[in-house]
Amino acid sequence: MTARPRLRELLLYFLQLGTLGFGGPIALAGYMQRDLVEIRGWITPEEYKQGLALAQLAPGPLAAQLAMYLGWVRAGMLGASLVSLAFIGPSFVMVLVLSIFYVRYGGLAWMQAVFYGVGAAVIAIIARSALKLVRTTLGRDRLLLLLFGVSALVTAWTETEIVWLFVACGIVPILARLGRRTAMPMALSVAPWPLLGLAPASSAGILATILGYFAAAGLFVFGSGLAIVPFLHGGVVLQHHWLTERQFLDAVAVSMITPGPVVITVAFIGYLVAGPAGALAAAVGVFLPVYLVTVLAAPHFHRFAENPRVKAFVDGVTAAATGAIAGAVFVLGRRALVDVPTVLIALGALALVMLAKKLPEPVVIAAAGLAGLLVRGVAPTP
């Protein structure tokens, strides 16, 4: 029999997980299953499976969306709201503190040396994550692998992400599996929403622009939070020119050395653009659509969870998102791997995350930062 926890107990658990939970979305989802289902018995296996299925089908970072759903299961909209704050809050505060230090000391040689090594390690970790996603989400499905390849090549070639390519990749499996008649209504229903908020900056102000941009970007995170990286690169660096290539790579690194969802990197970006208010606007923007999707879809999830059109569309978009991550490895790698030491650091980091699978990623990043500090200290670059 499942023990029904007090809301306070549930919030304390997610506050702890958000503070100490490293390892990425799959690891965080595994912690929730172990702690809430197997050990405490607060969530039934069926409730957990439904939450995991929703997190995989709907756009949004998997771990955050699963946490919101489990909060909804136990205390409705209030539970989902408070669990969201408890789970996301700690990593947001940590990123905010790191942002302050980065702005204040980013011009110092020692910090530049640290991120010199960290940036190389980030490329290795993203590459490993892309490979893992290919194995776990695409398998041997030739169609999905083809869509993955197309998305990767387009991202690498154009150095940005084409929204309609993702939509097309979602429609192709519907056509292939279910036929044109069932695909057309689906295409019409999903085609307009990806364009929301992707317009250039408006006169409404920089905070409104940040809020709208990151809200739209969050709609393209399927499964791994790293799926947002290629979208952010195109908009933040190339379209809006908010960050330089170096700063963007540093932003991704900051998200990897903090616990909780990877997409919290948006808070770092927002801070560099518009200070604390920008960090808050970016975080609210990327997580608010995820929250709304969860609380609105949760009561009706059974109606569309097994819909073959929905599953086929999500499979195609996931393949495109994984391809975009792989393409981003090439794009960002050209900026981070600038000499022999950075290439060696990247290869060393890749070997560590591939061979020592239980080694926490923040440890690898810390080691890379130390290596960068040593290299720059021994052989300073002009």
Side-chain angles (χ1 to χ4, degrees):
M1 182 177 179
T2 302
R4 190 173 186 86
R6 297 177 181 176
L7 181 57
R8 177 175 174 271
E9 294 175 318
L10 193 65
L11 294 179
L12 286 176
Y13 168 77
F14 278 106
L15 185 64
Q16 180 184 22
L17 184 63
T19 304
L20 304 174
F22 289 97
I26 302 302
L28 292 172
Y31 297 149
M32 293 181 212
Q33 181 181 26
R34 180 196 66 191
D35 299 335
L36 300 180
V37 179
E38 299 173 3
I39 297 177
R40 291 174 172 82
W42 291 350
I43 301 294
T44 67
E46 186 61 29
E47 289 170 338
Y48 178 84
K49 290 178 183 177
Q50 291 173 359
L52 188 60
L54 175 61
Q56 290 172 325
L57 286 174
L62 185 145
Q65 199 160 35
L66 177 59
M68 293 174 190
Y69 181 85
L70 297 181
W72 178 86
V73 165
R74 280 292 161 260
M77 187 174 293
L78 176 63
S81 303
L82 295 179
V83 163
S84 303
L85 295 175
F87 182 57
I88 299 167
S91 57
F92 174 79
V93 172
M94 293 179 199
V95 169
L96 191 60
V97 171
L98 288 172
S99 302
I100 294 171
F101 275 91
Y102 182 88
V103 170
R104 180 168 296 181
Y105 302 111
L108 297 182
W110 69 267
M111 180 167 277
Q112 293 177 0
V114 168
F115 278 98
Y116 166 83
V118 166
V122 166
I123 298 302
I125 292 173
I126 296 177
R128 184 246 187 179
S129 298
L131 179 60
K132 188 176 181 180
L133 284 171
V134 170
R135 291 174 177 173
T136 57
T137 63
L138 307 185
R140 297 184 177 180
D141 190 308
R142 294 181 178 179
L143 177 60
L144 297 183
L145 289 173
L146 176 62
L147 296 176
F148 161 83
V150 170
S151 178
L153 289 174
V154 170
T155 301
W157 181 265
T158 64
E159 299 189 2
T160 186
E161 285 60 55
I162 301 174
V163 173
W164 285 103
L165 177 62
F166 275 63
V167 178
C169 286
I171 295 172
V172 168
I174 304 176
L175 291 169
R177 298 174 186 176
L178 305 173
R180 184 173 300 176
R181 291 184 178 180
T182 58
M184 291 310 295
M186 184 69 178
L188 293 175
S189 66
V190 302
W193 63 261
L195 296 179
L196 296 177
L198 289 178
S202 66
S203 58
I206 187 64
L207 292 180
T209 302
I210 292 173
L211 183 71
Y213 173 76
F214 286 110
L219 292 174
F220 287 91
V221 184
F222 281 83
S224 172
L226 286 175
I228 202 172
V229 170
F231 276 98
L232 294 185
H233 178 263
V236 170
V237 178
L238 303 179
Q239 179 185 355
H240 293 292
H241 305 290
W242 286 334
L243 270 63
T244 65
E245 295 280 359
R246 180 73 256 175
Q247 288 173 326
F248 180 79
L249 201 60
D250 294 345
V252 178
V254 165
S255 72
M256 290 186 175
I257 61 177
T258 53
V262 174
V263 295
I264 201 62
T265 186
V266 303
F268 183 89
I269 297 172
Y271 185 90
L272 295 189
V273 178
L280 183 61
V284 170
V286 81
F287 285 109
L288 183 59
V290 180
Y291 168 80
L292 293 176
V293 166
T294 302
V295 297
L296 294 176
H300 314 287
F301 180 61
H302 293 291
R303 298 182 184 179
F304 65 86
E306 300 302 321
N307 188 307
R309 289 181 296 174
V310 172
K311 286 187 173 181
F313 181 80
V314 170
D315 284 346
V317 173
T318 301
T322 306
I325 295 174
V329 172
F330 175 79
V331 175
L332 297 176
R334 292 197 303 172
R335 277 78 172 181
L337 309 182
V338 294
D339 51 26
V340 173
T342 50
V343 172
L344 292 177
I345 292 173
L347 291 176
L350 183 61
L352 284 175
V353 296
M354 295 289 287
L355 300 177
K357 297 182 179 179
K358 293 185 178 181
L359 187 66
E361 291 178 358
V363 174
V364 177
I365 291 177
L370 180 60
L373 196 59
L374 292 173
V375 169
R376 284 291 182 94
V378 173
T381 57

